[in-house]
Amino acid sequence: MFKYMILISINLLFFAGLSSSAVTAEAELGEVVVTASRIDERAFDAKADVRVITAEDIEENRFANIAEALSSLNGVTVNTYGNGVGYENMQTLEINGSSQIVVVIDGIRANTNTSMLNVFNFQSMPNLDSIERIEVLSGSASTLYGADAKGGVVNIITKAPEKNVFKFGAENGTFGFQDYRLYAAGGDGDLSWRLSANKRRSSDYKDGDGNSYISDGDADNISAKFWKKTSGRSTLSLAFDHYESDTVHTGTYFRQQHGMRPPASFYEKQQRLILAYRTQFSEDSDNLLSLYRIRSVFNGQNFYTTEVVIDGKADTTTWGFSDQYRMKWHEKHRLAAGFEYSHETIDDWADLLFTYSNESYYHYSLYAEDSWDFDGRYSLTFGARYYRHSIAGGRLSPSVTLGLAADEKTNFYLSAKDYFVPPSQYQLFSGYGNRDLSPESGQTYEFGVKHAPDNDTVIDANLFYRRGKNTISYNKEIKKYENLDREKVWGFRANVTRQLDEHFKATLGYAWIRYKNVDAEGEESYSSNYPNGEIKVGLNYKNRDLTVVLFGRGVMGRDGYLRYSADTGLFYGTYPVSSFWVVDMAVNYKTSEHLTFYLKINNIFDKFYCDDAFGVYGPEDIYGAPGRNFRVGFTYEF
């Protein structure tokens, strides 16, 4: 059935006759972004691979969290263990084949050291009502965002209140899902405020093959932000986020069925405090000074076997400040420059093998980037960041981008950018750590094109190649982190969006990536984590009161077989399913100006698949993704 839906969508996308319509893809051409250059510009004009998920996209698709929203973009991969409950700190986001990304909230860095894998817990912002848009920049961006922006940048931009609003929503669904959320915002004179709160529950679930998993989640979140206009155009803001969760899970299906491990339980708390002062000197210049503190607490009881208990603990603190200045200093020049400092501490860490505490490092950097517009057609953007790490040392990371506006409908860009990634605290200080690790470094080269043949169609494509040395990886033989000799990564992404008529819009995206390691002895190996291709296709219907979104994700030819090791007597493999299609649907019906009801169905055809590699005990040693499930809910706003 879905194959026919795909053919119909593609046929509509390229051959359907267009009617005159008030709602066209022209809105996407005019979408303003700041992430590509830290300066406001149209997404279509940005000389980088930057895409936007708007508040309208979030509402119409009924995304459950930020990670789900990000996974709707082709070329972006979210790796989750099962339904994500109990493994919030293991959920990773990859852009251009790298999980080393920078996450910023309203332009202010939000990366954390909560685990060995992820840099940001996307579950910690479950109430999406406060998000204005999410900008995703693919490709290395070390000049503007820091040394570890190897794969890209995720910029979460929250809403600034323009009017008094109150919004309440509730959901219920399969697998014990319950969600209750509140959003309120307003202002009076020079003072504005925003408040959001969220309560979420979930329980046991089944994968597409009917395998049952013990799982329990209970999470709470509260977020607040206040703005105060001081003098002239200056604004002082204070933002606070608090997230707590209690989870229970049993691990893979095989280990659960064979009683290898009792259920594990975890508690997590994360707090963010951000103080910012923005000064608008003129229409062409402003400055953002910020101070932030992020604290993460993780306590859990896991089991290595039925008898061996692992009492885990992680208490980490990150604080820092930054100063960013932007200006148009000449008719043809725009400048972004700044300074950043961050101090990161493991206050306490413990698990089965080792404990450590009071380990820390700091890093600071200076950066500047100038965009030079020659004659309205050609542009040259060049910049550099000097980065200094207290353990890994320093490095200068330059970047250069050449842009060409061939005409009003076509833009090209070609870029070369350095990146520099210091080892994490876990890689340095843990029992698997290695204090002699060298930082990763390398270059990313990109070529991209954006083309709008008419007001109803937008086509964009990006080709990238990344090469690096001293890539940090875990060596199973010596049970230590070490530097590989080299890595080579290349990939291609293309996307077409077309407004079919005043009610229908279609999107079609394709992504392909290859990752090759070269060790110190010169041996080459390809990563099996990436398929031969991934397709993401969507069809949106919208009228005055009803919106329907159909979204499909197809994974093709991913390594899906087991290997047997005679040395250990165990199986090793990657994914139990090499190819699959997963289809989701969201329906929204607005019964009045204030009340909306909606239905979200995930995995409509109940397909069995895994987004993470399975374990060592055979094809049942898996974290199966949830099978068919649905949520029904409503929002009331006034």
Side-chain angles (χ1 to χ4, degrees):
M1 178 180 179
F2 185 58
K3 293 179 180 178
Y4 296 107
M5 293 165 56
I6 297 173
L7 292 174
I8 292 171
S9 297
I10 294 174
N11 184 63
L12 288 171
L13 186 62
F14 292 105
F15 301 110
L18 300 177
S19 63
S20 60
S21 61
V23 182
T24 68
E26 192 172 7
E28 297 192 20
L29 296 177
E31 188 74 48
V32 175
V33 297
V34 297
T35 307
S37 62
R38 285 194 184 266
I39 295 174
D40 294 359
E41 60 186 337
R42 291 197 315 161
F44 188 77
D45 296 330
K47 304 305 185 288
D49 184 10
V50 59
R51 287 165 287 168
V52 182
I53 301 171
T54 66
E56 185 179 34
D57 295 329
I58 293 171
E59 182 175 296
E60 292 181 355
N61 286 271
R62 295 299 166 186
F63 295 125
N65 50 53
I66 295 175
E68 185 178 320
L70 293 170
S71 67
S72 68
L73 300 176
N74 67 319
V76 177
T77 302
V78 178
N79 298 312
T80 58
Y81 286 74
N83 65 344
V85 172
Y87 279 104
E88 296 175 8
N89 270 326
M90 302 293 278
Q91 180 174 273
T92 58
L93 173 76
E94 288 190 1
I95 303 175
N96 282 2
S98 175
S99 60
Q100 292 159 320
I101 62 173
V102 168
V103 179
V104 294
I105 300 176
D106 295 327
I108 301 170
R109 190 180 181 93
N111 284 47
T112 61
N113 278 312
T114 54
S115 80
M116 67 190 82
L117 294 178
N118 72 343
V119 297
F120 183 80
N121 181 3
F122 290 101
Q123 304 274 26
S124 66
M125 295 182 69
N127 191 340
L128 306 188
D129 291 330
S130 62
I131 295 177
E132 178 66 32
R133 66 184 189 274
I134 304 171
E135 298 180 4
V136 179
L137 173 64
S138 300
S140 299
S142 290
T143 296
L144 290 179
Y145 290 96
D148 46 349
K150 175 180 175 181
V153 178
V154 175
N155 189 3
I156 303 167
I157 300 172
T158 62
K159 294 178 179 177
E162 297 179 353
K163 61 179 181 179
N164 293 334
V165 61
F166 177 86
K167 189 174 184 179
F168 173 75
E171 290 183 33
N172 272 269
T174 48
F175 308 143
F177 185 86
Q178 300 176 50
D179 186 79
Y180 306 96
R181 60 190 183 276
L182 171 70
Y183 173 79
D188 183 14
D190 293 335
L191 181 64
S192 302
W193 57 275
R194 187 192 70 223
L195 173 69
S196 63
N198 181 269
K199 173 75 172 178
R200 180 168 291 182
R201 291 293 312 272
S202 64
S203 59
D204 300 351
Y205 78 98
K206 292 183 179 181
D207 62 27
D209 274 353
N211 302 316
S212 297
Y213 299 79
I214 295 176
S215 172
D216 186 79
D218 187 350
D220 302 279
N221 169 254
I222 185 167
S223 174
K225 188 169 183 178
F226 302 90
W227 293 262
K228 178 68 171 68
K229 291 183 180 179
T230 55
S231 58
R233 300 179 179 181
S234 300
T235 303
L236 179 68
S237 65
L238 177 66
F240 174 75
D241 295 293
H242 178 89
Y243 173 80
E244 285 187 84
S245 68
D246 287 287
T247 57
V248 174
H249 73 97
T250 54
T252 66
Y253 177 71
F254 181 90
R255 298 171 201 187
Q256 174 182 298
Q257 292 296 105
H258 291 77
M260 297 179 67
R261 297 183 184 179
S265 59
F266 298 119
Y267 165 79
E268 179 171 356
K269 178 173 70 175
Q270 187 168 114
Q271 294 177 330
R272 286 187 294 269
L273 185 66
I274 302 172
L275 180 66
Y277 186 69
R278 182 182 293 276
T279 304
Q280 187 79 39
F281 299 110
S282 67
E283 294 295 332
D284 296 325
S285 66
D286 67 2
N287 190 82
L288 177 62
L289 179 66
S290 62
L291 175 67
Y292 63 89
R293 181 181 184 272
I294 304 169
R295 184 174 178 221
S296 296
V297 177
F298 174 83
N299 289 303
Q301 187 179 72
N302 206 344
F303 294 84
Y304 188 71
T305 65
T306 54
E307 290 83 21
V308 180
V309 181
I310 306 174
D311 290 317
K313 179 188 295 185
D315 194 341
T316 69
T317 303
T318 301
W319 70 270
F321 63 88
S322 64
D323 190 30
Q324 172 196 306
Y325 179 67
R326 309 182 302 178
M327 70 173 297
K328 184 177 180 181
W329 62 275
H330 185 272
E331 181 181 344
K332 296 187 177 184
H333 288 272
R334 298 180 305 169
L335 174 71
F339 171 80
E340 292 182 355
Y341 175 89
S342 180
H343 188 277
E344 304 177 358
T345 303
I346 292 282
D347 301 302
D348 197 5
W349 181 289
D351 62 26
L352 175 68
L353 299 176
F354 47 81
T355 62
Y356 60 99
S357 61
N358 298 321
E359 297 284 3
S360 65
Y361 54 69
Y362 65 87
H363 45 92
Y364 63 87
S365 56
L366 291 161
Y367 67 90
E369 183 175 272
D370 182 79
S371 297
W372 181 12
D373 184 5
F374 286 93
D375 58 1
R377 295 188 63 210
Y378 294 95
S379 66
L380 178 65
T381 302
F382 52 92
R385 174 184 289 255
Y386 176 73
Y387 180 92
R388 184 73 184 180
H389 191 278
S390 60
I391 295 178
R395 182 180 174 89
L396 183 69
S397 298
S399 64
V400 59
T401 300
L402 178 64
L404 168 62
D407 52 45
E408 293 182 355
K409 297 180 178 181
T410 307
N411 281 322
F412 296 92
Y413 60 89
L414 180 67
S415 67
K417 300 177 180 180
D418 266 28
Y419 68 85
F420 172 80
V421 183
S424 69
Q425 291 202 15
Y426 190 85
Q427 294 166 343
L428 287 169
F429 305 132
S430 73
Y432 301 117
N434 179 357
R435 294 177 185 252
D436 295 326
L437 286 172
S438 298
E440 298 183 18
S441 61
Q443 297 80 36
T444 297
Y445 305 94
E446 288 185 83
F447 172 75
V449 58
K450 302 173 186 180
H451 179 57
D454 52 55
N455 287 337
D456 299 280
T457 310
V458 179
I459 304 170
D460 67 279
N462 176 272
L463 178 68
F464 81 92
Y465 171 71
R466 185 173 70 242
R467 64 179 184 182
K469 62 181 181 179
N470 294 326
T471 305
I472 299 172
S473 181
Y474 179 69
N475 188 321
K476 294 181 180 179
E477 294 183 1
I478 65 174
K479 292 183 169 53
K480 292 282 185 182
Y481 283 95
E482 66 172 2
N483 291 107
L484 293 176
D485 188 46
R486 297 188 302 278
E487 73 169 14
K488 296 179 180 179
V489 188
W490 58 98
F492 171 76
R493 184 196 67 78
N495 201 79
V496 181
T497 301
R498 181 157 185 168
Q499 191 76 38
L500 304 176
D501 59 26
E502 61 180 326
H503 298 299
F504 286 95
K505 182 176 77 172
T507 61
L508 177 64
Y510 175 81
W512 178 91
I513 191 171
R514 280 294 174 269
Y515 189 111
K516 181 169 70 174
N517 286 324
V518 183
D519 64 20
E521 285 72 39
E523 286 193 30
E524 297 183 351
S525 62
Y526 286 88
S527 172
S528 57
N529 289 332
Y530 305 100
N532 288 330
E534 185 174 38
I535 296 174
K536 294 180 180 179
V537 57
L539 184 64
N540 294 45
Y541 171 81
K542 183 176 182 179
N543 67 15
R544 187 182 62 180
D545 300 321
L546 176 68
T547 62
V548 181
V549 179
L550 191 65
F551 176 78
R553 171 189 171 217
V555 171
M556 301 171 293
R558 189 161 59 182
D559 194 358
Y561 60 89
L562 290 169
R563 304 178 184 90
Y564 178 76
S565 171
D567 295 333
T568 63
L570 298 174
F571 289 91
Y572 292 88
T574 50
Y575 297 87
V577 180
S578 60
S579 300
F580 60 85
W581 272 99
V582 177
V583 186
D584 304 329
M585 183 174 68
V587 181
N588 302 269
Y589 182 67
K590 195 170 185 178
T591 60
S592 69
E593 181 183 355
H594 305 290
L595 182 62
T596 301
F597 290 95
Y598 58 87
L599 167 68
K600 178 67 182 284
I601 307 176
N602 296 307
N603 196 356
I604 294 175
F605 301 110
D606 206 21
K607 293 295 183 180
F608 170 73
Y609 70 101
C610 294
D611 277 326
D612 59 276
F614 55 80
V616 298
Y617 296 106
E620 291 187 331
D621 196 20
I622 56 173
Y623 299 95
R628 183 189 301 114
N629 63 93
F630 69 89
R631 308 191 315 268
V632 292
F634 73 90
T635 59
Y636 185 80
E637 179 178 352
F638 62 89

